[in-house]
Amino acid sequence: MGTQQNRSERDTFAGMYAARLARLWAVERGLAFGRLDQADGQRFYIGKIGMTDDEQNRLLIDWRAPVAQPFYRATPARPMGVTRRRHLQTRGRTVIGVEDDLLDLDAMSEADRVTLSGEAALLAALDEERTGRMRDIVATIQAEQDRVIRADLSGVLVVQGGPGTGKTVVALHRAAYLLYSHRERLERRGVLILGPNPTFLRYIEQVLPSLGETDALLSTVGELYPGITATRRDRPEVAALKGDPRMAEVLARAVRDRQRVPRRPIELPLGRYTLTIDGRMLDSARSKAVKSRRPHNAARAIFVRSLLNALARQAARKLGKGLIDEEELADLREDLRTEPVVKAALNRLWPYLTPQRLLLGLYGSAERLEYAAGELLTPRERELLRREGGEWTDSDVPLLDEAAELLGEIDEQVLRASAAHAEEELAAARLAEQRERESELAYAREVLELTGLSDVMEAERLAERQRDEGPHLTTAERAAADRTWAYGHVIVDEAQELTPMAWRAVMRRIPSRSMTIVGDIAQTGASGGARSWAAVLDPYVAGRWRQETLTVNYRTPVELMEVAADVLHAIDPSLEPPRSVRHSGARPWAAPLGELASLAKASAEAGGKTAVLAPESMLEEVGATVTAAVGGAVLVRPGVRAGAEALDAPVAIMGVTDAKGLEFDSVIVVEPARIAGESPRGLSDLYVALTRATQRLGVVHDLPLPAYLRRLSPCPNI
């Protein structure tokens, strides 16, 4: 049957080949997409991964390899030794089109000149209909994007770019590039990619697998705390308050509140005698615990030990023992520890706390809020935090993370030992395990008898080898389950939306500060979001972050960007919109709100994907109107992870927050004045809404249109 080493090697090779096969299946679509013809006569085919034949001749160059850089960076002015860059268009395994970029005609032979074909593939890719999922751009990466993708791993890189500049897809390709260039380091620690909302994560989830990378963790801030998934959003003013850096001190004081000791003595009746916990004992125990500088739950052991020592000496005096040695003191201390009245007092004086219990206790008690908030928060702000129970919001998660840092881990063995039914549960678990092993052993005996191998191998050994040791967890899965996991690299998309408290949670996960920060300050919609990158990053990496700016808008046509640029000017006259590279030929239009149903239906029939973006206060009403008129239309409710049906639907109805980072062939914006007025940064939300379309843009309204939307034309279909 082979030695243990043989089996280990077999399992290792099986795992390696299974992973390789999974990568090959993932990258098959568009596997080879380009060719470089060099002046020295060499030709290299470029693809999503590298491949060789049996003789180790290179068949395909990985797009991330240094030799592939000219495919993205070579220009006629700087050809980098390349005469022609050829783009291959494939369907399955068949080449259906060829596009050539001519970089050095003089260096080409006559035979090569007669095979020239077409123009660059970029505009053709931009004009394709959306599929409901982000696609990789590995075949059409532009020079300024390639510079960002291949930037150094170390330090914090900020990628600032307006709508349509490809920030997100560049960040994802950067993740793939870093995993290729620093695989040993990043496979061990993993890459975390943070997106703005659950819908966005669903939208981008296929990009990295299509590039052969499956070990990055995609998450929102609301999913960062293991075991907690935020299911709703707070009102903007509540979210801004919970994201305020003052909340860090509020939580620290809330923990100290649970460590306060009473002034009056506590009597502990123990049958033959009564013990007393007085103020001096409490002050001494608390002082020792606080001076340890340990988190609350870890410091509890010091507090408890100090009190138990004092109570044991007091009990010895009550029993007439006088001075006792350390062994007798330990025995008395353990006897007291198990006394119900003593345990109840210790748990009341310094309780074990979970972040959930601390936060709900704070929200649910006006008295605790008043102590913890004190002069830090106004009475109105304290009232905004008040609530009894309820679902967790995405704004709560950074606070839970902060509380976990202050509280530390709870000793699970102590908790289990104090549970009322611990022994019964343990006995039941042991019995279940014994029965399972007996069943496995019986099955092993049967197998050996049927195969005639009972004389060769023991049933116990076969059962042990076949026993399920549990699923193998990927780096991403292990990281997702561990709040204290330190990642190798963190990418934050739509980073302008993160609050200061969210940034504290993110920074805990990347002590090396190897990060890619992607966003656009002009699109900040959250009340507690960023106003400048310096304000966000200087508290953590002052003087140690660098910025790259993407300036070309590949998504939004000129006609649509002219309308959005007027809104950008209203936000800040000094801001410059990104430069659009193409025209759509369709003028943005305006129509009465009452025409929404028919216009949404016409847009769906025109093909591609349509988004109806509405103020959140109108979302249910608009959703009912559109879903009744358009078969297959789907309403995306705030904060709810969209299923495949939402992104695959011909028409999706959603709020602007859930549309961040997404793109659609057509967009209909509902009541722009109301979007602009519903939050302190509503103009930024409107700017986002107007820049989601790749082809067509319309606005429906009953309220008067703001002056900055004067470029809209009457709808041609009504």
Side-chain angles (χ1 to χ4, degrees):
M1 301 297 289
T3 65
Q4 184 65 36
Q5 180 177 345
N6 295 148
R7 293 195 294 273
S8 176
E9 290 175 352
R10 177 202 65 193
D11 292 343
T12 299
F13 280 114
M16 180 180 68
Y17 289 128
R20 175 67 171 170
L21 185 60
R23 288 187 68 207
L24 291 173
W25 277 114
V27 302
E28 184 171 10
R29 182 180 181 274
L31 173 61
F33 55 79
R35 191 183 82 188
L36 283 177
D37 294 359
Q38 297 190 307
D40 60 7
Q42 292 190 81
R43 284 180 175 173
F44 297 112
Y45 284 90
I46 312 299
K48 291 183 176 179
I49 60 173
M51 299 184 71
T52 60
D53 61 18
D54 292 340
E55 283 72 41
Q56 299 304 306
N57 297 312
R58 287 188 295 186
L59 301 176
L60 201 58
I61 302 295
D62 193 301
W63 67 276
R64 296 164 288 191
V67 71
Q69 284 194 36
F71 189 78
Y72 303 108
R73 297 195 180 184
T75 65
R78 184 171 172 264
M80 301 175 70
V82 176
T83 59
R84 172 171 52 187
R85 173 172 47 221
R86 170 161 286 183
H87 300 268
L88 306 176
Q89 301 168 22
T90 60
R91 181 179 296 123
R93 300 186 178 188
T94 303
V95 176
I96 61 172
V98 174
E99 302 280 350
D100 281 343
D101 294 335
L102 181 61
L103 302 177
D104 190 350
L105 183 63
D106 294 336
M108 295 189 73
S109 67
E110 283 300 319
D112 283 336
R113 292 183 189 217
V114 300
T115 63
L116 289 173
S117 174
E119 56 188 31
L122 175 63
L123 294 181
L126 294 176
D127 282 331
E128 288 181 353
E129 288 188 351
R130 305 301 99 177
T131 66
R133 299 290 189 281
M134 178 176 279
R135 293 170 292 199
D136 65 70
I137 59 165
V138 66
T140 57
I141 293 170
Q142 301 301 292
E144 72 170 7
Q145 296 172 329
D146 188 66
R147 184 177 65 251
V148 172
I149 290 169
R150 298 176 192 269
D152 289 343
L153 170 67
S154 60
V156 177
L157 173 66
V158 175
V159 184
Q160 163 70 35
T165 53
K167 301 182 298 297
T168 296
V169 73
V170 164
L172 293 171
H173 284 67
R174 174 163 168 75
Y177 173 77
L178 293 177
L179 283 164
Y180 170 84
S181 303
H182 306 274
R183 188 165 301 282
E184 182 177 347
R185 171 179 171 182
L186 295 185
E187 271 194 338
R188 186 175 64 254
R189 300 310 311 166
V191 173
L192 171 65
I193 299 174
L194 283 175
N197 56 64
T199 310
F200 174 85
L201 295 186
R202 187 83 186 204
Y203 177 63
I204 68 171
E205 66 185 0
Q206 295 178 359
V207 175
L208 281 173
S210 76
L211 297 172
E213 302 296 344
T214 57
D215 218 16
L217 175 64
L218 273 60
S219 177
T220 65
V221 170
E223 297 167 327
L224 272 184
Y225 193 90
I228 298 291
T229 299
T231 55
R232 65 182 185 88
R233 289 198 193 111
D234 283 309
R235 302 193 314 276
E237 63 270 26
V238 178
L241 176 58
K242 289 180 179 179
D244 193 291
R246 291 175 295 166
M247 289 301 297
E249 179 57 25
V250 169
L251 290 175
R253 290 168 67 159
V255 173
R256 293 197 292 271
D257 179 33
R258 308 304 286 269
Q259 301 169 352
R260 284 192 294 172
V261 296
R263 295 297 92 195
R264 294 181 180 179
I266 300 171
E267 301 292 330
L268 303 176
L270 295 171
R272 291 181 295 165
Y273 54 86
T274 297
L275 299 181
T276 301
I277 302 177
D278 59 28
R280 181 182 56 80
M281 293 164 58
L282 286 170
D283 287 340
S284 174
R286 184 180 184 280
S287 176
K288 290 176 182 177
V290 171
K291 285 180 180 178
S292 74
R293 297 187 179 277
R294 296 182 182 180
H296 171 88
N297 290 324
R300 183 183 186 275
I302 298 172
F303 177 85
V304 167
R305 184 178 181 86
S306 177
L307 275 186
L308 286 175
N309 280 337
L311 288 172
R313 292 190 178 93
Q314 189 181 135
R317 291 193 298 271
K318 295 273 186 178
L319 295 170
K321 291 189 175 183
L323 293 175
I324 57 176
D325 59 26
E326 281 299 319
E327 185 176 349
E328 290 176 303
L329 179 67
D331 289 340
L332 264 176
R333 187 171 62 231
E334 289 307 307
D335 288 342
L336 289 172
R337 188 193 299 273
T338 61
E339 288 287 346
V341 67
V342 175
K343 287 197 296 184
L346 293 175
N347 288 334
R348 188 168 63 252
L349 290 168
W350 196 294
Y352 274 122
L353 289 172
T354 64
Q356 296 92 317
R357 182 179 173 189
L358 177 74
L359 210 56
L360 289 177
L362 183 66
Y363 290 159
S365 169
E367 181 183 348
R368 290 197 188 283
L369 264 174
E370 185 174 359
Y371 176 84
E375 73 287 352
L376 293 171
L377 303 181
T378 66
R380 181 180 178 277
E381 288 175 325
R382 294 201 294 269
E383 191 57 35
L384 286 175
L385 292 176
R386 286 276 285 121
R387 82 166 195 243
E388 298 291 341
E391 300 171 300
W392 294 111
T393 69
D394 48 8
S395 309
D396 288 326
V397 170
L399 302 186
L400 288 169
D401 199 71
E402 186 79 23
E405 285 291 303
L406 297 168
L407 296 174
E409 298 296 323
I410 296 178
D411 188 335
E412 294 292 341
Q413 290 184 339
V414 172
L415 289 185
R416 284 197 296 269
S418 65
H421 303 293
E423 284 302 319
E424 291 85 347
E425 292 174 352
L426 183 59
R430 285 173 177 166
L431 181 60
E433 183 179 359
Q434 180 182 349
R435 288 174 175 170
E436 182 179 355
R437 289 182 181 272
E438 288 173 352
S439 175
E440 292 170 350
L441 187 59
Y443 177 77
R445 288 195 184 103
E446 183 179 347
V447 169
L448 290 174
E449 288 174 1
L450 289 172
T451 57
L453 296 174
S454 55
D455 294 333
V456 179
M457 187 176 192
E458 295 178 352
E460 289 81 0
R461 186 177 173 192
L462 178 61
E464 182 180 350
R465 285 184 54 187
Q466 298 300 320
R467 186 168 296 125
D468 181 15
E469 298 295 343
H472 171 73
L473 298 180
T474 66
T475 299
E477 289 168 333
R478 286 186 285 119
D482 185 354
R483 192 195 66 82
T484 62
W485 189 274
Y487 289 90
H489 193 76
V490 170
I491 294 174
V492 186
D493 203 350
E494 300 291 347
Q496 74 278 354
E497 302 299 325
L498 269 62
T499 64
M501 291 303 294
W503 279 112
R504 288 172 67 92
V506 171
M507 291 299 182
R508 289 188 191 103
R509 285 154 175 81
I510 186 70
S512 68
R513 300 296 191 259
S514 175
M515 305 178 73
T516 303
I517 308 298
V518 181
D520 179 15
I521 294 297
Q523 295 185 62
T524 303
S527 300
R531 296 185 181 276
S532 74
W533 295 123
V536 168
L537 296 173
D538 283 349
Y540 302 100
V541 286
R544 292 184 289 121
W545 59 276
R546 60 200 191 278
Q547 180 172 323
E548 292 279 0
T549 302
L550 299 177
T551 60
V552 180
N553 186 339
Y554 300 102
R555 176 205 302 142
T556 317
V558 171
E559 298 90 340
L560 279 61
M561 201 60 213
E562 287 174 348
V563 174
D566 291 337
V567 177
L568 182 65
H569 185 79
I571 296 171
D572 184 345
S574 67
L575 296 175
E576 288 290 329
R579 176 175 52 85
S580 296
V581 298
R582 64 195 177 95
H583 293 263
S584 69
R587 297 298 308 173
W589 48 261
L593 179 59
E595 301 294 329
L596 173 60
S598 61
L599 290 169
K601 184 176 181 180
S603 183
E605 291 171 348
K609 302 294 180 182
T610 296
V612 177
L613 305 183
E616 288 196 2
S617 61
M618 296 179 64
L619 206 51
E620 292 293 334
E621 171 191 346
V622 169
T625 298
V626 176
T627 53
V630 182
V634 173
L635 170 63
V636 178
R637 289 182 168 83
V640 178
R641 181 182 285 275
E645 68 279 0
L647 291 171
D648 295 339
V651 177
I653 308 100
M654 62 183 69
V656 179
T657 300
D658 282 306
K660 285 183 179 292
L662 308 184
E663 60 181 32
F664 306 89
D665 297 281
S666 302
V667 169
I668 300 174
V669 179
V670 178
E671 289 293 10
R674 199 160 170 176
I675 291 175
E678 280 197 351
S679 75
R681 298 189 180 182
L683 273 179
S684 294
D685 282 343
L686 181 57
Y687 181 57
V688 170
L690 295 172
T691 54
R692 297 304 94 197
T694 65
Q695 302 292 340
R696 300 170 292 275
L697 172 67
V699 167
V700 293
H701 65 102
D702 278 342
L703 297 174
L705 284 178
Y708 45 73
L709 294 180
R710 62 186 179 277
R711 294 181 191 263
L712 293 174
S713 306
C715 180
N717 296 329
I718 59 174

